[in-house]
């Protein structure tokens, strides 16, 4: 039983972990901030506004020591949601444990390390796919030989569903990822044939559970069937224990609403039942979001509430006392068979392209997800999919839970970034720089060979290198990468209704009034926030509405966005930020546009933005702020064109 937690600083997160463990939590699930996830130190330009926001900053060994102070790592099961820099974080965890007197072989836990889905959903990739798979392969080989109880790879279909995946796509794309990784490990020759079963046995999955809980439960039974077949037939695994589909769950955050957020509690319970009702497909570890996630950062009390939901289910209900209650159900068997058949066909399609890496590089998987997500959004807007409190049953009594919105969420420590910058600079000053330089040179030398990178990474940790320095050294060898956005070619709305038709006409007329051209809409993702689902859907709908759309993908500095606005001669700039860095990055872009002479270009902002922050942004001249409650995408497009007219003095 876990909650996904971490914020502000190693010291504050350590206190939170110890409180949660005292309340009955039985494992730790560490959330790292975006600079740590993407290989930047707190004082890097791209880290501005992101330090300590969506997780804890852990740039060096000293911070890792502090994070787990007074927590016995030899007795703990720790899950780390980390991907591009997973090798670095595991190395720091191992060294911190050794300093506690714990042998690496005794460590138990998981590094997510599923880089394929980062190119498709979360966006915290650093290196090109082939180099990233090299790091994953090296980690798997190292842990099988040195940390046998560690799960070095936690294939995360969770984020695929958040990016719009159907159950069939979730099954197929995540299992295609597993095939790609297992093939890479086999081809590397780092694991003897007689140990390959252990590689298969240590792979785990991290799965999403949506509110359609019967379908989700059938999906889990399908996962188990498919995994057993793949591991037996493709890889010849004979031991049934090594073929077991081992998975943990974070139930769905995509369906959590800002409107009537109290409804999220029953959604979370239904989603939890989807992965616990069926004994044969029951999750081994569950973590639940908090009811107020769509509003901002949950408080400790909100996390406690989610933990208590699990405890009531486990200890008060009789759910765990019976064999599988769905065995023999014709309805369940038929649905599972349908999902298995669909997933096999999609897996075959990906394999025919050359596997998951090729399907990432070609943009196939990303475009499929963007298209699926656009279809879902269109159905919510049309009412074909009902969301209580959002597009149906919107009449509501005032909620005491949100009477004071500013108090209904936790605010990250405003000093977190300054403190982290001071900390990393102090860390650099007190270490042996020559030893660091030598260790990083060794990392680069090994990266140019087929040798396993883990030992060189451990040496860099012990020497005192930082996450930014380690990642920077590897960037020089492997290069960086910009994944396909998946937006080109996707049609969001096939048949325009009256509302979209009216907006199209307004967009066209406005363009003609401004010089007889199409209106140009720049969609920007500033900072390190890689959750691009919202930006992609805005881009698709803007194109459907008649705008010419400029969308360059994720991880841009404010100055890059301003430069793009100037070069593309845009009529409006739309910024998407879900990481909480809006109060730092938006004003910086706004200033840059004014300085570049684009003071008549309206700026609109969307994301997880508390109401008080939205008011401050609008008071500072931001034309409009949209949050998850604003689900009507066509309505948003109508507002955008009106802001363009207003900014240009059109009636």
């Amino acid at each position: 039983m876990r909650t996904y937690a971490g914020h502000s600083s190693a010291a504050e997160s350590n206190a939170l972990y110890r409180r949660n463990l005292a309340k009955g939590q039985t494992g730790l699930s560490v959330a790292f901030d975006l600079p740590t996830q993407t290989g930047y130190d707190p004082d890097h330009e791209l880290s501005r506004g992101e330090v300590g926001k969506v997780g804890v900053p852990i740039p060096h060994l000293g911070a890792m020591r502090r994070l787990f102070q007074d927590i016995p790592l030899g007795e703990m099961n720790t899950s780390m949601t980390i991907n591009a820099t997973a090798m670095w974080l595991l190395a720091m965890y191992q060294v911190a444990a050794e300093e506690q007197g714990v042998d690496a072989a005794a460590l138990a836990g998981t590094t997510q390390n599923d880089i394929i889905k980062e190119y498709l959903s979360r966006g915290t990739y650093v290196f090109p796919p082939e180099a990233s798979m090299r790091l994953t392969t090296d980690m798997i080989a190292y842990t099988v030989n040195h940390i046998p109880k560690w799960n070095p790879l936690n294939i995360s279909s969770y984020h695929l569903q958040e990016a719009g995946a159907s159950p069939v796509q979730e099954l197929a794309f995540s299992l295609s990822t597993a095939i790609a990784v297992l093939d890479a490990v086999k081809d590397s020759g780092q694991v003897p044939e007689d140990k390959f079963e252990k590689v298969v046995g240590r792979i785990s999955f991290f799965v999403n559970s949506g509110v359609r809980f019967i379908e989700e439960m059938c999906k889990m039974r399908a996962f188990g069937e498919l995994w057993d077949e793949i591991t037996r037939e493709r890889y010849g695994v004979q031991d049934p224990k090594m073929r077991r589909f081992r998975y943990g769950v974070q139930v769905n955050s995509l369906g959590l609403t800002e409107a009537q957020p109290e409804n999220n509690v029953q959604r979370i319970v239904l989603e939890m039942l989807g992965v616990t009702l069926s004994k044969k497909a029951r999750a081994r570890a569950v973590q639940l979001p908090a009811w107020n996630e769509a509003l901002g950062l949950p408080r400790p009390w909100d996390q406690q509430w989610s933990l208590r939901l699990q405890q009531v289910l486990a200890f008060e209900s009789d759910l765990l006392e019976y064999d599988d209650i769905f065995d023999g159900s014709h309805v369940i068997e038929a649905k599972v068979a349908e999902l298995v058949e669909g997933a096999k066909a999609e897996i075959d399609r990906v394999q025919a392209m050359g596997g998951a890496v090729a399907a990432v590089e070609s943009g196939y998987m990303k475009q499929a997800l963007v298209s699926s997500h656009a279809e879902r959004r269109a159905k919510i807007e049309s009412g074909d999919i009902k969301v209580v409190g959002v597009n149906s049953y919107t009449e509501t009594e005032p909620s005491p839970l949100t009477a004071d919105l500013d108090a209904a969420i936790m605010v990250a420590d405003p000093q977190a970034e300054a403190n982290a910058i001071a900390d990393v600079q102090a860390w650099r000053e007190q270490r042996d720089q020559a030893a660091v330089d030598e260790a990083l040179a060794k990392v680069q030398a090994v990266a140019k060979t087929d040798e396993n990178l883990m030992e060189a990474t451990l040496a860099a940790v012990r020497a005192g290198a930082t996450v930014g320095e380690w990642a920077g050294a590897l960037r020089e060898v492997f290069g960086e990468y910009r994944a396909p956005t998946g937006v080109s070619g996707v049609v969001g709305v096939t048949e325009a209704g009256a509302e979209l038709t009216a907006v199209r006409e307004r967009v066209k007329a406005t363009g003609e009034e401004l010089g007889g051209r199409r209106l140009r809409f720049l969609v920007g993702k500033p900072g390190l926030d890689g959750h691009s689902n919202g930006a992609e859907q805005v881009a698709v709908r803007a194109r459907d509405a008649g705008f010419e759309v400029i969308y360059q993908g994720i991880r841009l500095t404010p100055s890059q966005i301003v430069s793009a606005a100037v070069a593309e001669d845009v009529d409006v700039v739309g910024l998407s930020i879900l990481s909480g860095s809006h109060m730092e990055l938006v004003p910086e872009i706004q200033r840059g546009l004014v300085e570049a002479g684009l003071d008549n270009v309206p700026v609109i902002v969307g994301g997880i933005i508390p109401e008080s922050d939205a008011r401050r942004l609008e008071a500072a001249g931001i034309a409009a702020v949209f949050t998850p409650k604003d689900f009507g995408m066509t309505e948003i497009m109508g507002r955008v064109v009106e802001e363009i007219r207003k900014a240009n003095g059109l009636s």
Side-chain angles (χ1 to χ4, degrees):
M1 296 185 183
R2 317 180 197 266
T3 52
Y4 179 50
H7 68 93
S8 299
S9 70
E12 289 180 75
S13 298
N14 172 267
L16 176 63
Y17 295 163
R18 287 189 286 112
R19 283 200 304 272
N20 286 348
L21 290 168
K23 291 173 183 173
Q25 191 171 297
T26 55
L28 293 177
S29 181
V30 182
F32 296 100
D33 74 351
L34 287 171
T36 304
Q37 291 186 53
T38 52
Y40 295 105
D41 287 337
D43 53 356
H44 191 278
E45 179 189 10
L46 271 167
S47 299
R48 175 163 160 68
E50 308 284 14
V51 178
K53 285 281 170 62
V54 302
V56 58
I58 304 294
H60 55 73
L61 178 60
M64 184 65 87
R65 287 177 189 140
R66 186 66 187 88
L67 185 66
F68 293 108
Q69 187 174 316
D70 300 322
I71 297 175
L73 296 184
E75 303 167 22
M76 195 51 51
N77 189 301
T78 303
S79 170
M80 294 192 279
T81 302
I82 196 71
N83 296 278
T85 57
M87 179 179 284
W88 179 256
L89 271 297
L90 177 61
M92 288 201 292
Y93 188 84
Q94 177 181 328
V95 173
E98 288 170 352
E99 292 178 348
Q100 288 187 5
V102 179
D103 188 88
L107 296 176
T110 300
T111 34
Q112 190 168 96
N113 205 16
D114 173 11
I115 200 64
I116 294 292
K117 65 93 177 53
E118 294 301 316
Y119 301 113
L120 302 176
S121 52
R122 286 180 75 247
T124 68
Y125 58 83
V126 175
F127 313 111
E130 191 175 336
S132 296
M133 289 293 278
R134 150 82 183 282
L135 293 174
T136 300
T137 299
D138 284 359
M139 273 186 71
I140 291 171
Y142 178 82
T143 54
V144 165
N145 293 314
H146 299 281
I147 318 180
K149 291 194 286 185
W150 196 266
N151 299 314
L153 177 67
N154 184 226
I155 293 173
S156 180
S157 73
Y158 174 87
H159 302 93
L160 301 180
Q161 188 178 127
E162 297 282 297
S166 67
V168 164
Q169 289 172 327
E170 195 179 334
L171 287 162
F173 292 173
S174 54
L175 290 170
S176 295
T177 296
I179 290 169
V181 173
L182 288 173
D183 285 357
V185 173
K186 214 173 186 40
D187 293 345
S188 77
Q190 293 191 60
V191 178
E193 192 66 38
D194 62 344
K195 276 192 172 183
F196 193 74
E197 279 200 347
K198 293 184 178 178
V199 173
V200 176
R202 293 320 302 176
I203 288 181
S204 61
F205 289 76
F206 184 62
V207 181
N208 207 325
S209 176
V211 76
R212 293 172 57 83
F213 77 104
I214 298 296
E215 184 173 64
E216 295 293 334
M217 186 266 293
C218 291
K219 179 187 75 182
M220 298 321 308
R221 291 169 81 100
F223 253 131
E225 280 188 28
L226 287 162
W227 185 240
D228 186 76
E229 182 179 316
I230 290 167
T231 53
R232 185 180 65 252
E233 295 185 4
R234 188 180 180 97
Y235 299 108
V237 178
Q238 299 303 308
D239 185 347
K241 288 183 179 177
M242 296 294 105
R243 296 200 307 267
R244 181 183 296 151
F245 183 76
R246 299 180 312 116
Y247 80 101
V249 169
Q250 159 88 24
V251 310
N252 189 287
S253 292
L254 176 66
L256 300 185
T257 63
E258 180 184 4
Q260 298 181 25
E262 61 275 8
N263 295 337
N264 293 331
V265 177
Q266 50 265 36
R267 292 185 179 109
I268 291 166
V269 171
L270 283 170
E271 291 163 354
M272 176 170 57
L273 288 173
V275 291
T276 54
L277 274 176
S278 172
K279 186 175 182 180
K280 284 185 177 174
R282 183 170 293 149
R284 297 299 190 268
V286 177
Q287 57 192 47
L288 304 180
W291 68 277
N292 55 350
E293 236 182 56
L295 303 175
L297 189 64
R299 301 158 298 187
W301 181 83
D302 307 311
Q303 293 189 341
Q304 175 183 295
W305 191 355
S306 291
L307 178 62
R308 296 293 186 247
L309 294 179
Q310 289 196 63
Q311 290 167 330
V312 169
L313 184 76
F315 302 118
E316 293 188 28
S317 84
D318 60 352
L319 181 71
L320 303 181
E321 297 170 15
Y322 296 93
D323 288 335
D324 200 300
I325 61 175
F326 294 103
D327 279 354
S329 165
H330 299 304
V331 174
I332 299 300
E333 287 174 3
K335 184 63 180 176
V336 171
E338 175 193 323
L339 291 171
V340 167
E341 182 183 0
K344 281 184 174 180
E346 188 61 42
I347 290 170
D348 288 346
R349 189 173 295 117
V350 171
Q351 292 306 113
M353 294 176 183
V357 170
V360 164
E361 292 173 336
S362 71
Y364 167 73
M365 288 202 286
K366 180 64 173 176
Q367 186 167 322
L369 294 176
V370 173
S371 181
S372 177
H373 199 106
E375 185 180 338
R376 176 182 176 274
R377 284 205 61 91
K379 286 180 177 177
I380 291 174
E381 288 183 63
S382 68
D384 291 343
I385 293 177
K386 291 203 181 318
V387 182
V388 174
V390 174
N391 66 357
S392 59
Y393 307 106
T394 54
E395 306 80 7
T396 183
E397 297 296 326
S399 171
L401 290 174
T402 56
D404 182 355
L405 277 174
D406 290 336
I409 56 171
M410 191 169 82
V411 178
D413 181 358
Q415 276 297 111
E417 185 166 321
N419 293 342
I421 290 172
D423 170 74
V424 77
Q425 290 174 348
W427 175 264
R428 293 193 197 112
E429 287 170 5
Q430 55 81 40
R431 66 190 182 178
D432 182 342
Q433 189 61 44
V436 172
D437 294 342
E438 184 181 345
L440 292 172
K442 177 68 172 174
V443 166
Q444 289 188 318
V446 172
K448 294 171 184 175
T449 71
D450 293 331
E451 185 183 336
N452 191 297
L453 264 164
M454 192 70 189
E455 289 293 350
T457 297
L458 283 161
V461 167
R462 294 185 176 109
T466 66
V467 67
E469 291 166 335
W470 176 82
L474 290 179
R475 279 184 175 98
E476 290 181 17
V477 178
F478 295 148
E480 287 198 79
Y481 186 72
R482 293 196 72 79
T485 65
V487 168
S488 61
V490 173
V491 176
V493 180
T494 51
E495 293 183 19
E499 185 185 11
L500 182 55
T501 300
V503 172
R504 280 180 181 170
E505 290 172 355
R506 192 72 161 155
V507 168
K508 184 180 179 183
T510 303
E512 289 171 353
E513 289 178 64
L514 291 176
R517 57 181 173 80
R518 285 178 70 191
L519 295 181
R520 296 166 70 81
F521 190 153
L522 174 64
V523 177
K525 285 287 295 174
L528 296 177
D529 168 32
H531 283 90
S532 57
N533 305 331
E536 290 151 7
Q537 295 307 311
V538 167
V540 169
R541 185 59 59 84
R543 197 174 57 212
D544 289 343
F547 288 97
E548 183 177 342
V549 176
I550 297 96
Y551 175 53
Q552 299 172 329
I554 63 170
R555 215 177 301 170
L556 299 170
T557 64
S559 61
Q560 286 173 323
I561 290 173
V562 170
S563 295
V566 172
E568 300 288 351
D569 190 23
V570 300
D571 298 288
V572 62
V573 173
L575 305 174
S576 171
I577 304 177
L578 287 88
S579 63
S581 59
H582 47 271
M583 294 309 297
E584 291 86 0
L585 299 180
V586 173
E588 192 172 336
I589 292 167
Q590 190 180 20
R591 283 194 300 273
L593 291 170
V594 171
E595 289 167 6
L598 299 183
D599 48 341
N600 67 327
V601 173
V603 178
I604 61 171
V605 183
I608 307 293
I609 299 174
E611 190 176 313
S612 58
D613 285 355
R615 288 195 300 266
R616 287 167 61 196
L617 289 170
E618 287 170 342
I622 296 302
V625 177
F626 298 105
T627 65
K629 71 178 182 300
D630 302 301
F631 73 95
M633 199 71 83
T634 300
E635 187 180 330
I636 290 172
M637 293 304 131
R639 173 73 185 277
V640 170
V641 72
E642 291 311 315
E643 292 300 333
I644 293 172
R645 295 184 67 82
K646 191 188 302 181
N648 287 277
L650 301 178
S651 60

